Amino acid sequence: VQLVESGGGLVQPGGSLTLSCAVSGSIFTVNGMGWYRQAPGKQRELVAMRTLGGSSDYGDSVKGRFTISRINAENTVYLQMNSLKPEDTAAYYCNAKGYDSNRKIYDSWGQGTQVTVSS
């Protein structure tokens, strides 16, 4: 199972960015897809997660500012980030969980994409 992320970069405070992540490989299901982030010296934390059934979960610090969406047929997830703050600066990692074609559970990560919020 491979995850390919795109969309990170440098943005000014108050600005917006959209991250995308596509899952490929020998997949049977992608039950959960989402994003975590890790800033230097801090633990990795949940940003947002969306299930196959359509429910979403957000980290407290991003509620009301970030929106996760998903195209199930394309195994792709998006993270729309608005009203960005300097404290949103981190490496953002895509995560996908589900069953592969051998019906084995996988929990896979992307390589990470850097988001920097600075003036």
Side-chain angles (χ1 to χ4, degrees):
V1 178
Q2 297 84 42
L3 282 68
V4 178
E5 303 147 335
S6 63
L10 173 64
V11 63
Q12 292 186 340
S16 299
L17 276 177
T18 301
L19 305 182
S20 64
C21 174
V23 182
S24 63
S26 299
I27 299 166
F28 179 60
T29 64
V30 185
N31 291 14
M33 289 186 73
W35 297 89
Y36 289 74
R37 69 186 182 186
Q38 188 167 19
K42 295 188 176 181
Q43 289 189 331
R44 190 170 293 191
E45 63 175 358
L46 171 71
V47 177
M49 183 65 65
R50 190 162 178 91
T51 68
L52 184 63
S55 62
S56 299
D57 188 23
Y58 293 91
D60 288 341
S61 62
V62 307
K63 287 180 180 177
R65 299 188 297 122
F66 291 10
T67 302
I68 190 169
S69 60
R70 175 175 170 172
I71 301 177
N72 292 335
E74 297 177 0
N75 290 330
T76 301
V77 67
Y78 300 91
L79 183 69
Q80 175 67 43
M81 305 184 291
N82 297 327
S83 302
L84 282 160
K85 305 175 181 179
E87 50 263 44
D88 294 317
T89 296
Y92 283 68
Y93 296 90
C94 183
N95 175 258
K97 304 177 180 65
Y99 292 89
D100 66 18
S101 57
N102 294 317
R103 305 305 189 263
K104 293 186 183 296
I105 294 172
Y106 66 86
D107 184 351
S108 299
W109 295 88
Q111 77 281 4
T113 186
Q114 180 66 35
V115 173
T116 302
V117 185
S118 175
S119 55

